[in-house]
Amino acid sequence: MASKCFTLHLNLRPHLSLHSSLPQNPRFSAAKTTKIKTPHSQIHHSFPKRCATLTPMASSPGKSSGGTKFDEFEPDPTLTNDDLKPTTPSQRNFHWWEMASLWVGLVVGVPSYYMAGSLVDLGMAWWQGVATVVAANMILLVPLVLTGHPGTKYGISFPVLARSSFGIRGAHVPTLLRALVGCGWYGIESWIGGEAIFLLLPHSIKQSSFSQILPWLGTSPLEFACFIAFWLAQLAIVWKGMDGIRDLEKYSAPILIILTSMLLIWAYVKAAGLGHMLSLSSRLSSSEFWSLFFPSLTANISFWATIALNIPDFTRFAKTQRDQIIGQAGLPFFMGAFTFVGLAVTSSTQVIFGQVISNPIQLLGQIGGFTTMILAILGISLATITTNIAANVVAPANALVNLSPSKFTFRRGALLTALLGIAFQPWRLLKSSESFVYTWLVGYSALLGPIGGIILADYYLIQRTNLSLEDLYSLSPGGAYYYSRGVNLAAMVALVIGILPVIPGLLQKVGIVSSVSDAFVVIYNNAWFFSFFSAGLVYWILASLRRKQNKHLLFDPLLPTSS
């Protein structure tokens, strides 16, 4: 029976014949001359119990490209728990409109509003600002859809996908880097939400002794209390897990669209039209525009570069590839529309109040009125929570689960993420530099860009979208993703090469060094592009060279060679 299975498998899967490339970490010895292991299947004396599992089949929930189901092998207990297992068919309940709702909830927020106004403040015309944002998100849509593919095909999260390219243990590096950025953003977004609560409090409360800044704390007890109140409100939703997050995004999307439309209508009526905004022309020369355009493009790409990495955490719940693709295709439109609203409302404040108010929280405080205050608190809180939870909780929580599945669950990981968000002291970060957002956005893109380039190069160019679920959950030294003691050195080298050239420009940007060469400035202004493509290219070259080297070990020395 075993021999029949062996013959059937070789005939149906010619690319797994004895002439296929060996695993990226072949380990042959005199004691193991009867075993040949490929990246996608095992050909040795220990066959699966059912011959049918060796036949190829279309990808579906919980199945690898080779047809092996997750429940047909025993995963290493240190590499899995209920949060890391591939999603089951019953868990795949995200339709395309729910994926789109996720992006509406992510887009509509205070940071996105800031981003819109900042481009015009720097001298762009309103249409140049909108075009820059749309162009950045159209570019970002490509890695979003490509990275989302393995999540839907195999039902795996970002930490599990990273094991394929970085190694079973090496995957901790990219996931923890992503988690670190997420924790920082979680604190920043939570502080923004707390600021909304503080600014909309009655004047008498804001003038009390509790609003005086404490030097050792760096903020006032009242502002800190508002921050903690908002912090706790988010945890109540996170505690319900992914189902709670999905419901939040789905039901919040129409509310956010209505509130945003109301704000635009108010600005249109009060300013007697949008003529003031439409009359805003560029204050930049052609050379000045292009020198501003590329760092602005990078900053806008970096804005969602975090999600572009861990999008499998969401697409693993999509019903089909069509749902994840169509659901994400609206991102450029959503960002363009919200950017237009932000620019229209900001420009109208010059006519209405005699000064430009780019902070939406301050603007809503200026409008006044009890009803407006309630709607403002609801709108800003809802917008901030939907963005913060989806963008900055899921990835760090999953990274911590991947770090120690026996100790962390999604809830515990989310709680630690929230605590680290406080430890970042976002009130100090936001007050440290006027250019914080741009330095922060462009700076961390040097970390996330190369990770995305490596993962996509591995999945599409090296693995050819064929992953082995069994090896993704195995610590066996012969596993396809074990590499060198669980770490893929090629990925680590590519990661370092992608990051290092950006560091001089970052040091100059934050003021640690006075000046650097123009080449490093250009590299920094295009940090995401440079790190993404350079790391991906280096990884592809190194991985290809390794595969060619392994081909010299194709034949077991004890097997007869063909004439």
Side-chain angles (χ1 to χ4, degrees):
M1 180 65 181
S3 62
K4 292 181 179 179
C5 289
F6 182 80
T7 303
L8 175 63
H9 186 54
L10 289 180
N11 288 338
L12 288 176
R13 300 280 299 275
H15 66 284
L16 290 183
S17 67
L18 293 179
H19 295 278
S20 302
S21 60
L22 282 176
Q24 298 150 0
N25 181 38
R27 293 169 178 264
F28 291 106
S29 67
K32 296 183 179 181
T33 56
T34 61
K35 177 180 177 179
I36 299 176
K37 185 169 171 42
T38 72
H40 307 294
S41 174
Q42 293 184 5
I43 307 174
H44 57 89
H45 63 278
S46 178
F47 295 100
K49 292 181 180 179
R50 287 177 291 182
C51 182
T53 62
L54 291 174
T55 60
M57 59 182 68
S59 66
S60 58
K63 298 178 184 179
S64 71
S65 61
T68 304
K69 296 181 180 179
F70 184 80
D71 58 2
E72 290 179 352
F73 61 87
E74 291 187 10
D76 191 291
T78 64
L79 295 176
T80 190
N81 63 12
D82 289 340
D83 295 309
L84 289 177
K85 291 179 180 178
T87 49
T88 62
S90 62
Q91 292 174 310
R92 291 173 173 248
N93 45 24
F94 273 36
H95 293 84
W96 68 265
W97 61 84
E98 289 173 309
M99 289 295 298
S101 297
L102 169 70
W103 277 112
V104 171
L106 285 167
V107 166
V108 180
V110 175
S112 300
Y113 191 103
Y114 281 146
M115 182 69 72
S118 65
L119 297 179
V120 174
D121 289 341
L122 289 170
M124 286 189 181
W126 70 270
W127 63 269
Q128 290 174 329
V130 173
T132 301
V133 171
V134 172
N137 285 274
M138 288 182 68
I139 293 172
L140 189 64
L141 184 61
V142 176
L144 270 168
V145 171
L146 292 178
T147 311
H149 184 276
T152 303
K153 182 175 182 179
Y154 297 98
I156 55 176
S157 60
F158 165 62
V160 177
L161 174 62
R163 294 172 183 175
S164 169
S165 53
F166 285 85
I168 296 298
R169 294 192 175 101
H172 295 315
V173 173
T175 55
L176 290 178
L177 286 176
R178 169 63 182 94
L180 185 66
V181 174
C183 290
W185 262 120
Y186 185 87
I188 292 169
E189 292 270 13
S190 297
W191 179 257
I192 290 173
E195 185 184 38
I197 297 175
F198 175 79
L199 289 176
L200 297 172
L201 288 175
H203 186 72
S204 58
I205 297 178
K206 290 190 288 186
Q207 294 300 315
S208 66
S209 59
F210 290 105
S211 62
Q212 301 300 313
I213 295 178
L214 299 178
W216 63 269
L217 182 60
T219 187
S220 68
L222 184 58
E223 287 178 294
F224 185 77
C226 293
F227 167 64
I228 293 299
F230 195 83
W231 184 89
L232 290 172
Q234 294 174 106
L235 274 187
I237 298 171
V238 172
W239 209 248
K240 295 181 180 180
M242 284 300 298
D243 287 337
I245 295 174
R246 185 192 65 157
D247 291 340
L248 170 71
E249 302 292 345
K250 181 171 64 175
Y251 296 117
S252 297
I255 297 175
L256 291 173
I257 291 174
I258 292 172
L259 292 176
T260 301
S261 301
M262 290 173 62
L263 183 61
L264 180 62
I265 293 171
W266 171 86
Y268 182 87
V269 172
K270 288 291 184 180
L274 301 178
H276 183 72
M277 184 198 79
L278 298 177
S279 65
L280 291 175
S281 59
S282 175
R283 304 190 304 272
L284 306 171
S285 65
S286 178
S287 60
E288 289 174 336
F289 169 78
W290 290 112
S291 65
L292 175 64
F293 172 77
F294 287 106
S296 298
L297 189 71
T298 301
N300 276 274
I301 290 175
S302 304
F303 199 72
W304 297 123
T306 51
I307 301 296
L309 270 188
N310 72 287
I311 193 65
D313 292 339
F314 300 98
T315 60
R316 65 196 293 239
F317 295 97
K319 294 183 73 67
T320 64
Q321 292 290 355
R322 177 178 177 273
D323 286 301
Q324 76 99 354
I325 294 172
I326 295 179
Q328 297 198 80
L331 172 61
F333 171 77
F334 299 147
M335 278 298 292
F338 192 68
T339 298
F340 179 83
V341 171
L343 291 175
V345 175
T346 298
S347 63
S348 70
T349 58
Q350 177 67 49
V351 178
I352 300 170
F353 299 105
Q355 60 177 335
V356 175
I357 303 176
S358 59
N359 188 328
I361 298 173
Q362 294 177 352
L363 171 61
L364 292 170
Q366 287 282 339
I367 294 175
F370 179 76
T371 302
T372 303
M373 183 179 297
I374 297 300
L375 290 175
I377 292 175
L378 171 64
I380 292 177
S381 298
L382 195 60
T384 305
I385 288 175
T386 53
T387 301
N388 206 19
I389 290 178
N392 306 316
V393 172
V394 176
N398 283 336
L400 292 169
V401 171
N402 184 60
L403 185 64
S404 181
S406 61
K407 295 180 181 179
F408 283 104
T409 61
F410 181 85
R411 288 181 176 180
R412 291 178 182 176
L415 177 59
L416 182 55
T417 298
L419 291 173
L420 290 174
I422 298 176
F424 266 81
Q425 301 185 65
W427 54 92
R428 295 186 188 272
L429 292 176
L430 289 173
K431 294 177 181 178
S432 63
S433 171
E434 293 181 0
S435 61
F436 169 76
V437 173
Y438 283 100
T439 303
W440 168 252
L441 286 173
V442 179
Y444 75 61
S445 71
L447 294 177
L448 305 187
I451 296 173
I454 292 168
I455 287 177
L456 290 181
D458 179 77
Y459 182 67
Y460 287 97
L461 302 180
I462 303 301
Q463 308 294 344
R464 303 297 177 94
T465 73
N466 294 313
L467 300 179
S468 166
L469 279 182
E470 182 174 358
D471 288 335
L472 286 173
Y473 294 89
S474 172
L475 275 176
S476 169
Y481 314 120
Y482 190 79
Y483 299 103
S484 178
R485 298 184 179 181
V487 178
N488 187 358
L489 298 180
M492 296 303 174
V493 170
L495 179 63
V496 172
I497 290 177
I499 294 174
L500 282 180
V502 183
I503 292 178
L506 175 62
L507 296 179
Q508 188 267 341
K509 186 70 175 179
V510 299
I512 295 178
V513 297
S514 58
S515 63
V516 295
S517 69
D518 292 341
F520 286 122
V521 173
V522 172
I523 290 174
Y524 178 77
N525 288 340
N526 299 274
W528 184 86
F529 291 97
F530 180 86
S531 61
F532 179 90
F533 287 106
S534 62
L537 178 62
V538 169
Y539 176 80
W540 176 63
I541 292 173
L542 293 177
S544 298
L545 290 175
R546 182 186 59 232
R547 289 168 69 90
K548 288 182 179 180
Q549 183 180 13
N550 288 341
K551 287 184 179 180
H552 295 294
L553 302 176
L554 280 174
F555 299 103
D556 190 296
L558 297 185
L559 291 177
T561 58
S562 60
S563 55

